[in-house]
Amino acid sequence: MARTRTASHKAQGTAARYRKLQSRRAQADRRRPPVEAEKPMQAGARPYPVPPLPRQHQRKPGQESRLDPPPMYEAPYYKGSFKLLDKVALITGGDSGIGRAVAVLFAREGADVAIVHLDEPEDAEITRRAVEAEGRRCLVIAGDVAKRAFCFEAVQRTLKELGGLDVLVNNAAFQLHVSRFEDLAEEQFDRTLKTNLYGYFHMAQAAVPHLKPGSAIVNNGSVTGLQGSKFLLDYSMTKGGIHAFTRSLAGHLVPRGIRVNAVAPGPVWTPLNPADKEAGDVSKFGADVPMKRPAQPEEIAPAFVFLASPQCSSYITGEILPVIGGYGE
């Protein structure tokens, strides 16, 4: 009985200490309330646009030259240091958005670049001029990555005209929202899978026989592949598939000395979303992440440089690198 009373007394003492800590915490919170972000976070070398963004909508596949404000891809404060000197990179969806920013930084790091685009010659020409302004060659190839024959043709043209292939960046994507699951048409489902999964598979299979030890494949995944997205069911499914494909192919290619990784971006200001969302939703794009704004393409591109460069990531393969504007919301 005495032991029971002693144990009970100790438990009461512990509970009292809990209440004392609680009281102190309440006093501290009243003195200094939690810091809440009132404005979108600006932690880059230059300020970036914040919501509300101009209301706008585009017909697919979308055109970067018509976006307001123009996506920021030049990365003027990024200084190259020969991380990809004399490499050859093939980038799908390289005409705009993340693909264009990656092409520019790859060139600044010393690589010649081939870009694949669907049907945006004006955007592709801007990318070509930007790459050449960095002192490197740029090959522009138009076609649909969902077509297996085209993917093999694109790789062969890159080999022939640029003299080799060291880095493949799978980036081209199709995205279209659906408000109700039962309205997700099989035609849309097929197009999303054909572009986002088949396209990555075809390009990788075309490229791998020509990649040497030290080469790299960098796939563009998505935060939706990590967290899901209730209105992007088919798109999110493909992005999760890309993450699994990345890890699986990475293990498969270790004996050949080829690294495979992925970047998983959060909201990024590119033509992909204004060519899907309604104008009112576009104006709020990116406001719901902790940084309260979408990324600009030049903020995502250094992650691709990091994963492509043997100087930076020679011991990294099979990883999914999230660049999503923070956690905790």
Side-chain angles (χ1 to χ4, degrees):
M1 183 67 70
R3 287 183 179 178
T4 301
R5 285 197 297 270
T6 301
S8 175
H9 179 73
K10 288 182 178 179
Q12 291 172 2
T14 299
R17 286 191 289 273
Y18 285 177
R19 291 189 289 272
K20 187 174 182 181
L21 288 170
Q22 181 185 36
S23 176
R24 287 178 180 173
R25 174 50 45 211
Q27 292 174 17
D29 287 346
R30 286 193 293 271
R31 249 189 349 261
R32 293 198 300 177
V35 177
E36 297 290 342
E38 296 180 0
K39 298 179 179 179
M41 184 175 182
Q42 298 284 1
R46 57 177 177 165
Y48 295 111
V50 303
L53 300 162
R55 294 168 58 92
Q56 57 203 289
H57 177 73
Q58 292 194 22
R59 295 179 62 188
K60 283 193 172 297
Q63 193 166 339
E64 180 151 324
S65 57
R66 296 179 181 173
L67 276 184
D68 179 23
M72 300 165 72
Y73 66 88
E74 306 94 335
Y77 296 98
Y78 181 102
K79 304 302 179 186
S81 56
F82 307 112
K83 295 182 184 71
L84 297 170
L85 183 61
D86 295 330
K87 305 286 188 184
V88 175
L90 173 59
I91 304 169
T92 68
D95 57 295
S96 63
I98 293 172
R100 177 187 289 175
V102 171
V104 170
L105 291 197
F106 276 19
R108 198 169 297 170
E109 293 291 358
D112 293 326
V113 179
I115 62 167
V116 168
H117 72 100
L118 183 61
D119 186 31
E120 307 89 353
E122 183 180 342
D123 283 348
E125 176 61 18
I126 294 171
T127 302
R128 183 187 65 79
R129 291 200 300 265
V131 168
E132 291 179 349
E134 301 291 339
R136 306 303 303 192
R137 294 179 292 168
C138 185
L139 172 63
V140 176
I141 308 170
D144 183 0
V145 296
K147 307 295 185 183
R148 181 174 177 83
F150 167 73
C151 294
F152 280 78
E153 176 190 338
V155 168
Q156 288 302 318
R157 283 193 60 188
T158 302
L159 294 167
K160 181 179 179 181
E161 299 188 38
L162 297 182
L165 182 59
D166 302 285
V167 181
L168 170 65
V169 175
N170 278 316
N171 169 67
F174 177 82
Q175 171 187 306
L176 189 62
H177 74 277
V178 61
S179 298
R180 294 180 68 88
F181 178 62
E182 54 266 42
D183 294 333
L184 177 54
E186 186 176 4
E187 182 181 4
Q188 175 183 329
F189 187 80
D190 285 345
R191 171 47 53 183
T192 307
L193 266 67
K194 286 288 188 181
T195 302
N196 301 1
L197 283 178
Y198 281 61
Y200 281 41
F201 168 75
H202 293 324
M203 289 300 308
Q205 200 166 57
V208 162
H210 308 285
L211 298 178
K212 303 174 290 293
S215 297
I217 298 173
V218 187
N219 295 322
N220 197 0
S222 171
V223 65
T224 67
L226 300 171
Q227 300 177 353
S229 174
K230 63 182 179 180
F231 295 129
L232 296 172
L233 290 93
D234 49 335
Y235 179 83
S236 302
M237 184 180 72
T238 62
K239 290 300 182 175
I242 287 166
H243 298 168
F245 175 58
T246 296
R247 291 217 157 118
S248 301
L249 187 61
H252 184 76
L253 293 179
V254 162
R256 304 194 207 183
I258 302 167
R259 296 180 301 105
V260 186
N261 292 288
V263 178
V268 187
W269 186 240
T270 76
L272 187 69
N273 286 282
D276 176 19
K277 298 178 182 294
E278 296 301 322
D281 294 329
V282 171
S283 71
K284 299 176 287 187
F285 182 58
D288 57 351
V289 302
M291 287 194 180
K292 299 185 183 301
R293 65 172 179 85
Q296 290 295 317
E298 68 179 36
E299 297 182 274
I300 307 297
F304 285 81
V305 173
F306 171 75
L307 292 174
S309 170
Q311 290 92 333
C312 297
S313 56
S314 60
Y315 200 60
I316 299 174
T317 194
E319 293 296 345
I320 316 300
L321 175 58
V323 187
I324 64 172
Y327 296 91
E329 285 292 300

